[in-house]
């Protein structure tokens, strides 16, 4: 990714380099690295856990409407009753907002656990097992107890964040500082997760359509299937990964949550002062990433309540979004090579706004089914393209020796406002704003991100500030080394 970006900056800059492939290993053997193989298996196991919630969301909406007494309304009638003080159609989006807030609050503590504890493998294993247990609890949806499923789902995001951070913490130790090889490994991890997402949705769609399942049947099947697929993969992966030592000692007298926030604040202040392009990239992703990710979170509510899609049609629309993310990623790769990565990011941010206008202007009711599927296809391309561009741009702004530390800040920034789009959508729905217009409201975050992106600067400015930041870090490290040696010398003389 770094070489891809610099190849667009003009002659004389770094050009793309090929990644050497071992002749005796297949692509899934990761040059014989057992840890890489197990992390790949863990990536595959994460997919059913995430995707099963989409099927669960449809059942929660139906059961909430049933409890509110709105299950026998006609297609053109809107439920005005409430359940626990909100419209039944707001239950899933509001719970998504609460989940995301909890995840954001606990994320710095999760990062501190990764940095300061020598028990990463154990944390990875038990966070995975608790995710499986929570998914098992969500099977209770079959009895109609949707409240239990919502509460279990609310406990999942911070555990999932902890699990992902532990997963990412293994990356630096995989390749002995070979950046190209690590990029190759991570691309395979992400590709495997993407394919697992698509396969899971195709299976759920095929079974639900073939057996004409209702929403509760689809949700129950999805949860059971995720348990069957994820549990053995999680267990095998984390029992065979090697443990790694902690990278730093926790400051004495501090809790994990305070230590995590303190480190986050210190790193953010340093970036703000010394690397302005990275600072503005972080702020761009603060709004841009949630606006894209929220489409999948809000989708089940939009398709069921606004389009009156059946459970199988709802799953099919989500499958289209997921499938179309792949050509979006390929389009982003083409744009990055022909223009720049930053240009590609801005293109997809503008495209998301244009797509939202299409949704607001055209998809005004259940009779626009064809337009809804076209929207699913286009927004899938946009999501895949933007996320590919964003993740390709980040490494170009980061000194190689700081990738681990600054990746933690990036991970926090793209998730800290993930609660905002579902809450905006919920607020609009509670005021009876049409859901197709509420989708446009959510995508105003993309417009904000697009405008902020112009503060990042030109390619030359980015390179200059990056080199200056790297030099200041090296100077600080040298001063720290000299100070440490001087202290040791003084202690030796005193002795």
């Amino acid at each position: 990714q770094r070489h891809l970006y610099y190849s667009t900056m003009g002659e004389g800059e770094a050009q793309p380099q090929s990644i050497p492939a071992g002749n005796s290993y297949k692509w899934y053997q990761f040059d014989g690295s057992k840890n890489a193989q197990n992390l790949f298996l863990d990536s595959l196991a994460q997919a059913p856990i995430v995707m099963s919630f989409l099927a669960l969301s449809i059942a929660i909406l139906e059961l909430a409407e049933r409890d509110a007494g709105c299950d026998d309304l006609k297609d053109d009638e809107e439920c005005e009753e409430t359940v626990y003080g909100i419209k039944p159609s707001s239950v899933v989006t509001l719970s998504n907002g609460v989940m995301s807030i909890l995840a954001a609050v606990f994320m710095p503590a999760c990062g501190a656990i990764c940095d300061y504890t020598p028990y990463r493998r154990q944390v990875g294993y038990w966070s995975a097992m608790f995710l499986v247990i929570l998914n098992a609890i969500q099977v209770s949806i079959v009895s109609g107890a949707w409240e239990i499923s919502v509460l279990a789902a609310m406990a999942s995001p911070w555990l999932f964040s902890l699990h992902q951070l532990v997963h990412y913490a293994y990356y630096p130790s995989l390749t002995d500082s070979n950046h190209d090889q690590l990029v190759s490994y991570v691309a395979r991890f992400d590709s495997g997760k993407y394919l697992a997402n698509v396969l899971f949705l195709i299976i759920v769609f095929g079974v639900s359509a073939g057996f004409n399942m209702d929403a509760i049947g689809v949700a129950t099947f999805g949860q059971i299937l995720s348990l069957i697929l994820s549990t053995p993969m999680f267990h095998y992966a984390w029992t065979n990964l090697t443990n790694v030592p902690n990278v730093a000692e926790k400051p004495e007298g501090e809790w994990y949550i305070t230590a995590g926030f303190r480190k986050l604040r210190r790193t953010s202040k340093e970036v703000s002062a010394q690397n302005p392009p990275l600072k503005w990239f972080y702020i761009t992703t603060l709004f841009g990433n949630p606006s894209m990710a929220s489409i999948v979170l809000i989708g089940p509510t939009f398709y069921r309540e606004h389009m009156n899609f059946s459970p199988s049609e709802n799953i099919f629309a989500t499958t289209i979004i997921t499938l179309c993310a792949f050509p979006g990623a390929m389009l982003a790769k083409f744009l990055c090579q022909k223009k720049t990565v930053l240009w590609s990011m801005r293109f997809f941010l503008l495209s998301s706004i244009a797509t939202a206008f299409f949704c607001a202007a055209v998809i005004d009711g259940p009779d626009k089914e064809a337009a809804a599927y076209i929207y699913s296809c286009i927004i899938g391309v946009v999501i895949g393209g933007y996320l590919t561009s964003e993740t390709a741009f980040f490494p170009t702004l980061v000194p190689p020796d700081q990738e681990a530390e600054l990746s933690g800040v990036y991970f926090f920034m793209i998730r800290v406002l993930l609660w905002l789009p579902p809450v905006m959508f919920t607020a609009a729905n509670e005021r009876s704003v049409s859901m197709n217009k509420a989708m446009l409201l959510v995508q105003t975050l993309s417009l904000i991100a697009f405008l902020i992106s112009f503060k990042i600067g030109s390619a030359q400015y980015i390179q200059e500030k990056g080199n200056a930041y790297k030099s200041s870090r090296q100077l600080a490290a040298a001063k720290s080394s000299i100070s440490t040696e001087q202290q040791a010398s003084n202690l030796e003389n005193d002795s």
Side-chain angles (χ1 to χ4, degrees), residues 120 173 200 281 437 453:
R120 280 188 196 167
S173 64
F200 182 85
F281 169 78
K437 293 179 174 61
S453 71

Side-chain angles (χ1 to χ4, degrees), residues 53 90-105 154 157 297-298 415-424 426:
F53 181 73
S90 295
V91 168
V92 169
T93 52
L94 182 60
S95 62
N96 277 329
V98 174
M99 288 183 232
S100 301
I101 290 172
L102 291 174
V105 169
M154 285 183 179
L297 296 175
I298 296 170
R415 283 165 171 77
V416 69
L417 287 187
L418 195 56
W419 57 271
L420 185 56
V423 170
M424 291 170 65
T426 301

Side-chain angles (χ1 to χ4, degrees), residues 455-473:
K455 297 286 290 183
I456 295 174
S458 64
Q460 183 179 358
Y461 177 72
I462 291 169
Q463 191 172 25
E464 288 174 358
K465 291 298 181 181
N467 291 336
Y469 183 41
K470 181 178 180 180
S471 299
S472 67
R473 291 283 302 180

Side-chain angles (χ1 to χ4, degrees), residues 143-160:
S143 66
W146 62 271
E147 297 93 339
I148 296 175
S149 297
V150 169
L151 290 174
M154 285 183 179
S156 299
W158 78 270
L159 271 173
F160 191 74

Side-chain angles (χ1 to χ4, degrees), residues 361-406:
V362 178
I363 311 176
D364 54 6
D367 58 322
K368 301 297 174 60
E369 182 177 344
Y373 284 125
I374 293 172
Y375 167 77
S376 301
C377 183
I378 297 173
I379 201 65
V381 172
V382 171
I383 292 171
Y386 173 79
L387 295 180
T388 300
S389 303
E390 181 187 283
T391 53
F393 192 32
F394 174 65
T396 70
L397 303 170
V398 179
D401 60 336
Q402 266 199 294
E403 286 175 336
E405 181 180 359
L406 295 178

